[in-house]
Amino acid sequence: MAAKRITQVTIDWAALAERVPPSQKAMFVAFKTKSDLYLRRMMANPEVPPKIDWEYYKSRIAVKGMVEDFQKQYDALKIPYPADKVTPEIEAQEKQTAKEIADFIKESNLRIANFEAEVKKLRSLIPFEQMTMEDFRDAFPDQALDPINRPTFWPHTPEEQLGYEKDKEQAAH
């Protein structure tokens, strides 16, 4: 893989800053400063090292073989560019996150549809102020008092009923 010089910053710092929580703003600013400093230092250096006029040095330096030795060492110098091992992992995480987001949107749309159906059902009921006990029992059979099938004692709260156990009630919630 050939070395590739970064010519422009591809980070949208403004969009990233919007997502940073207030408690981490100082760390974000320090990170951005460090990144900008690195970019300025990198851009200050040329992309390729300057060409050396070896003939000029050969004609000026009297020691035989010294310039040729330096030239050979200079030409053999190759600065390795680190291999990119992280990008495939990031792309895999991005695909996984995109899948999770799509699943979440799908599940949310189902929940929204269920809630809209429930709201539609509630709006179709007569107003509570105009309901009789029988209307309430027909609309909400699980919440209505049923003295025949499920008799309860006044004030009809779970705590006041026979056999009530606090631990069972909390475990059910």
Side-chain angles (χ1 to χ4, degrees):
M1 178 185 289
K4 179 182 168 190
R5 184 176 175 115
I6 300 171
T7 57
Q8 64 182 3
V9 177
T10 58
I11 300 172
D12 186 359
W13 290 106
L16 191 58
E18 291 174 0
R19 292 181 170 91
V20 174
S23 63
Q24 296 179 356
K25 287 285 186 191
M27 291 188 299
F28 172 74
V29 170
F31 172 69
K32 183 178 181 318
T33 303
K34 210 178 259 192
S35 176
D36 291 344
L37 181 64
Y38 169 75
L39 186 64
R40 277 195 297 271
R41 280 189 5 226
M42 187 190 70
M43 296 306 275
N45 296 322
E47 186 171 349
V48 293
K51 300 294 181 193
I52 298 175
D53 183 10
W54 295 107
E55 295 304 319
Y56 172 79
Y57 289 108
K58 285 179 188 176
S59 65
R60 301 275 191 237
I61 297 179
V63 179
K64 296 288 183 194
M66 183 178 182
V67 176
E68 288 83 7
D69 187 38
F70 280 152
Q71 183 178 5
K72 187 172 27 169
Q73 289 178 13
Y74 185 79
D75 291 340
L77 178 66
K78 299 291 183 219
I79 299 173
Y81 192 78
D84 185 8
K85 299 175 185 174
V86 180
T87 299
E89 294 175 16
I90 292 173
E91 289 172 352
Q93 283 180 349
E94 186 177 9
K95 288 179 185 176
Q96 177 65 26
T97 303
K99 182 182 175 294
E100 290 173 4
I101 290 170
D103 291 344
F104 179 77
I105 290 172
K106 184 178 176 184
E107 292 169 3
S108 294
N109 287 336
L110 287 174
R111 284 192 302 272
I112 289 170
N114 291 339
F115 291 141
E116 286 175 347
E118 190 174 332
V119 166
K120 184 178 178 182
K121 176 186 167 195
L122 290 173
R123 286 189 177 150
S124 70
L125 296 174
I126 58 175
F128 284 112
E129 302 85 33
Q130 298 173 7
M131 257 188 204
T132 63
M133 291 297 282
E134 291 80 15
D135 293 333
F136 183 80
R137 184 196 64 224
D138 293 341
F140 306 100
D142 57 326
Q143 297 176 7
L145 295 176
D146 187 2
I148 306 292
N149 299 323
R150 294 180 312 195
T152 57
F153 295 102
W154 187 88
H156 309 289
T157 60
E159 297 85 14
E160 300 299 325
Q161 306 311 310
L162 294 177
Y164 171 77
E165 293 181 24
K166 186 175 184 178
D167 296 337
K168 286 184 181 177
E169 182 68 25
Q170 289 178 345
H173 293 295

